[in-house]
């Protein structure tokens, strides 16, 4: 066992002395030592209950003959960090979390690892660490929040974001918003729609590194605690088999994950996170692979913000196993891949529970929401290296559109203009200098997109940025434009009233300006210089790759 180098032999008497100081017995030291990464904190609603989940994991480890050793990592709530300087830190925290797990596991040679995350950057960061370290490991999340109820309707966090725009439009009063904000997020868990956290927790099942149910069992249920106990016991089985993450995550797993992503209509942030995760296993996931799989994969689910359903509805309809069973019927998955259950995906899908129980939530192959997947990759003169849009959440009127640019150098400027009524039908809001390097940190643009939707402009106004979007964004919101403006991308050359043509079915994003005019602009263009006071963000800005490569730190 790896832990032998810390616990066995005369020379390790000092080490054992320190372990005795923790209250461990000699017998506990002789068992496999299992690191348990707990992202609990009192800041993030998705993490407030993770001590309960972690305790269940440790019970499962002990029941199967292991000795759990818990340690923490940070976790940022994107909702709380939204629309202010705090959002600069969200995406960079992914690398910080992965690195900190590596440091703990290498400094204290655990035999196996259980990761307990729940929210946006924490889930992909833990998956990255699992693949980087490549010791027997499993992930079990804290589970999704239940949807709220207000005036007889299901609501969630995005309902509140969009309500702000409705107030500015005169469609709602502040007293109603005060009532809504109390009801929208009724308790612990990752926010209730197919936003980034739930997207990644669902895809953890599809990748094969989490048990069935990980993505959809509600946070507040006893079933979630039982799943955590099962995960703790199961990591001991993985250890006995020496079954490691890179034995599970293969090229076929990459394709399975993207296929499920497209069927579910997941967050556009998966286009950043999945490449970063698979890169740790030295597997490439390019934008072209996303687009190729999207073109062949039907969109079977439309959860909030694209539709009215929430994660609890998906769970009741059969969850991720049911979605994968439907995709397998069309031969769209490789079911021979291994999973952390110890069985292949095909064997997992043979269980009685892996079937669709509600075709209103999980559509059949014969009646999908759309013949293509939830995400589309656009290219063209404005995005030579690619851009990303959640096409399943775009109104039909906006799939093909000729627009006039209104240009802003940051998110705050754009939000002020939108709420002040300066954006009109036919406009496209262009927000630049918000990419991985230019932001730095590639902030999410949920506030401006929610303002557009709340003001009833989502069928008339598009938004384009080199930043990114929350999984809660809906509308013609095109992000990850690459190269980003600060790197000399064409987005930096756009001016007010320029024509931009959006063609999502044709996968095009074009700036309609004469090349001679662009050459003149390019000759006088200079990157915006931001004063970055944070040493952490300065390092990230220097090392971050393009969004087209997952905004990972360059190796």
């Amino acid at each position: 066992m790896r832990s032998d180098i810390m616990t066995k032999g005369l020379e390790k008497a000092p080490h054992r002395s320190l372990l005795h100081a923790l209250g461990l017995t000699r017998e506990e030291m002789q068992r496999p030592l299992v690191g348990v990464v707990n992202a609990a904190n009192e800041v993030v609603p998705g993490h407030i209950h993770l001590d309960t989940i972690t305790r269940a994991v440790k019970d499962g480890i002990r029941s199967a003959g292991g000795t759990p050793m818990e340690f923490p990592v940070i976790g940022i709530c994107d909702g709380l960090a939204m629309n202010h300087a705090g959002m600069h830190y969200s995406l960079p925290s992914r690398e910080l979390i992965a690195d900190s797990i590596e440091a703990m596991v290498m400094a204290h040679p655990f035999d196996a690892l259980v990761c307990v995350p729940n929210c946006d950057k924490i889930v992909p960061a833990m998956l990255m660490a699992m693949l980087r370290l490549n010791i027997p490991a499993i992930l079990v999340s804290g589970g999704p929040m239940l949807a709220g109820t207000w005036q007889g309707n299901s609501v969630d966090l995005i309902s509140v974001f969009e309500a702000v725009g409705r107030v500015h439009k005169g469609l709602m009063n502040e007293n109603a918003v005060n009532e809504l904000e109390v009801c929208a997020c009724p308790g612990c868990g990752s926010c209730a729609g197919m936003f980034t956290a739930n997207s990644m927790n669902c895809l953890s099942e599809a990748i094969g590194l989490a048990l069935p149910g990980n993505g959809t069992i509600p946070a507040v249920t006893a079933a979630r605690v039982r799943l955590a106990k099962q995960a703790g016991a199961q990591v001991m089985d993985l250890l006995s088999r020496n079954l490691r993450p890179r034995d599970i995550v293969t090229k076929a797993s990459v394709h399975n994950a993207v296929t499920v992503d497209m069927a579910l209509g997941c967050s556009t942030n998966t286009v950043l996170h999945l490449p970063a995760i698979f890169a740790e296993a030295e597997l490439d996931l390019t934008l072209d692979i996303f687009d190729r799989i999207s073109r062949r994969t039907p969109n079977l689910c439309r959860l909030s913000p694209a539709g009215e359903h929430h994660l609890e509805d998906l769970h009741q309809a059969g969850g991720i196993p049911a979605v994968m069973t439907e995709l397998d019927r069309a031969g769209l998955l490789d079911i021979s891949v291994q999973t952390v259950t110890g069985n292949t995906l095909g064997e997992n899908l043979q269980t009685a529970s892996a079937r669709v129980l509600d075709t209103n939530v999980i559509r059949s192959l014969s009646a999908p929401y759309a013949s293509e997947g939830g995400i589309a990759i656009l290219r063209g003169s404005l995005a030579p290296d690619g851009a990303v849009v959640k096409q399943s959440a775009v109104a039909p009127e906006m799939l093909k559109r000729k627009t006039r640019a209104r240009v802003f150098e940051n998110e705050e400027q754009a939000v002020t203009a939108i709420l002040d009524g300066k954006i009109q039908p036919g406009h496209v809001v262009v927000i630049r200098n918000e990419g991985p390097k230019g932001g730095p940190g590639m902030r999410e643009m949920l506030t401006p997109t929610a303002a557009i939707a709340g003001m009833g402009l989502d069928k008339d106004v598009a938004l384009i940025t080199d930043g990114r979007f929350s999984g809660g964004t809906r509308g013609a919101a095109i992000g990850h434009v690459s190269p980003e403006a600060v790197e000399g991308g064409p987005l930096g050359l756009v001016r007010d009233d320029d024509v931009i043509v959006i063609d999502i079915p044709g996968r095009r994003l074009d700036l309609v300006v004469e090349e001679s005019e662009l050459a003149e602009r390019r000759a006088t263009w200079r990157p915006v210089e931001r004063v970055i006071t944070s040493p952490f963000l300065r390092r990230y800005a220097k090392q971050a790759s393009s969004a087209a490569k997952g905004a990972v730190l360059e190796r």
Side-chain angles (χ1 to χ4, degrees), residues 78 82 87 120-121 195-196 266-270 272-273 387-390 411 429 431 434 442-450 452 462-481:
D78 279 17
M82 199 73 66
M87 182 51 74
D120 292 31
K121 305 310 156 304
F195 314 144
T196 305
C266 289
S267 163
T268 51
N269 281 318
T270 62
L272 291 174
H273 297 323
V388 181
V389 63
K390 188 172 184 175
E411 177 191 4
V429 176
I431 305 177
E434 292 285 7
M442 204 177 183
R443 290 194 292 175
E444 286 187 344
M445 302 289 138
L446 177 58
T447 298
T449 58
I452 289 169
L463 191 150
I464 296 172
T465 181
D466 50 9
R468 60 192 178 93
F469 298 111
S470 161
T473 287
R474 65 184 175 95
I478 300 167
H480 306 200
V481 172

Side-chain angles (χ1 to χ4, degrees), residues 415-470:
V415 171
T416 299
I418 294 165
L419 295 178
D420 286 350
K422 295 180 180 178
I423 302 302
Q424 301 299 318
H427 285 164
V428 56
V429 176
V430 175
I431 305 177
R432 61 193 179 198
N433 302 305
E434 292 285 7
K437 291 181 179 293
M442 204 177 183
R443 290 194 292 175
E444 286 187 344
M445 302 289 138
L446 177 58
T447 298
T449 58
I452 289 169
M455 297 178 77
L457 293 171
D458 56 301
K459 296 180 180 179
D460 297 294
V461 171
L463 191 150
I464 296 172
T465 181
D466 50 9
R468 60 192 178 93
F469 298 111
S470 161

Side-chain angles (χ1 to χ4, degrees), residues 134-464:
N134 201 34
I135 61 175
I138 193 168
L139 180 141
V140 58
S141 75
M145 184 185 294
L146 296 176
T149 302
W150 183 65
Q151 296 186 348
N153 298 312
S154 292
V155 292
D156 55 40
L157 180 64
I158 304 310
S159 308
V160 188
F161 270 99
E162 294 186 0
V164 175
R166 293 176 63 81
V167 171
H168 279 268
K169 189 71 172 179
L171 302 173
M172 193 174 185
N173 62 54
E174 288 193 50
N175 288 335
V177 176
N178 292 339
E179 294 176 7
L180 172 60
E181 70 182 47
V182 175
C183 303
C185 299
C188 66
S190 47
C191 296
M194 190 54 80
F195 314 144
T196 305
N198 289 325
S199 294
M200 293 308 306
N201 281 324
C202 289
L203 294 183
S204 298
E205 289 187 46
I207 294 168
L209 292 178
L211 295 175
N214 180 73
T216 60
I217 296 174
V220 295
T221 61
R224 174 59 58 175
V225 177
R226 293 195 298 270
L227 183 75
K229 288 181 181 177
Q230 292 164 8
Q234 186 57 30
V235 81
M236 298 303 295
D237 181 66
L238 298 176
L239 179 59
S240 69
R241 299 170 183 235
N242 195 29
L243 184 60
R244 304 179 182 216
R246 292 196 198 181
D247 299 324
I248 292 168
V249 176
T250 63
K251 185 176 180 180
S253 306
V254 173
H255 286 259
N256 284 352
V258 178
T259 299
V260 175
D261 185 350
M262 297 305 158
L264 290 173
C266 289
S267 163
T268 51
N269 281 318
T270 62
V271 181
L272 291 174
H273 297 323
L274 289 179
I277 292 164
F278 292 126
E280 297 289 351
E282 300 180 358
L283 296 167
D284 287 333
L285 177 51
T286 64
L287 294 184
D288 290 335
I289 294 173
F290 273 101
D291 198 54
R292 185 168 65 250
I293 294 176
S294 178
R295 288 180 184 272
R296 77 181 192 198
T297 305
N299 180 212
L300 302 181
C301 301
R302 287 206 172 164
L303 279 66
S304 176
E308 62 183 12
H309 300 127
H310 292 88
L311 264 291
E312 62 204 78
D313 302 309
L314 179 58
H315 182 63
Q316 293 297 327
I320 305 309
V323 174
M324 291 194 288
T325 295
E326 193 68 14
L327 293 170
D328 181 47
R329 288 179 54 224
L332 293 173
L333 298 177
D334 185 335
I335 61 172
S336 69
V337 296
Q338 186 62 257
T339 72
V340 289
T341 65
N343 298 321
T344 66
L345 176 58
E347 290 168 335
N348 291 346
L349 298 183
Q350 288 174 7
T351 63
S353 60
R355 58 190 179 91
V356 177
L357 302 176
D358 187 344
T359 55
N360 291 316
V361 179
I362 303 172
R363 292 279 186 93
S364 67
L365 291 167
S366 60
Y369 282 102
S371 60
E372 292 187 353
I375 292 174
I377 306 300
L378 312 183
R379 297 184 188 272
S381 61
L382 191 56
D385 293 345
V388 181
V389 63
K390 188 172 184 175
Q391 62 177 343
S392 60
V394 177
E397 299 91 328
M398 294 300 296
L399 291 172
K400 296 182 72 171
R401 197 72 173 240
K402 181 183 287 188
T403 62
R404 289 279 180 182
R406 289 293 179 268
V407 182
F408 304 93
E409 303 300 338
N410 57 53
E411 177 191 4
E412 288 82 359
Q413 291 178 4
V415 171
T416 299
I418 294 165
L419 295 178
D420 286 350
K422 295 180 180 178
I423 302 302
Q424 301 299 318
H427 285 164
V428 56
V429 176
V430 175
I431 305 177
R432 61 193 179 198
N433 302 305
E434 292 285 7
K437 291 181 179 293
M442 204 177 183
R443 290 194 292 175
E444 286 187 344
M445 302 289 138
L446 177 58
T447 298
T449 58
I452 289 169
M455 297 178 77
L457 293 171
D458 56 301
K459 296 180 180 179
D460 297 294
V461 171
L463 191 150
I464 296 172

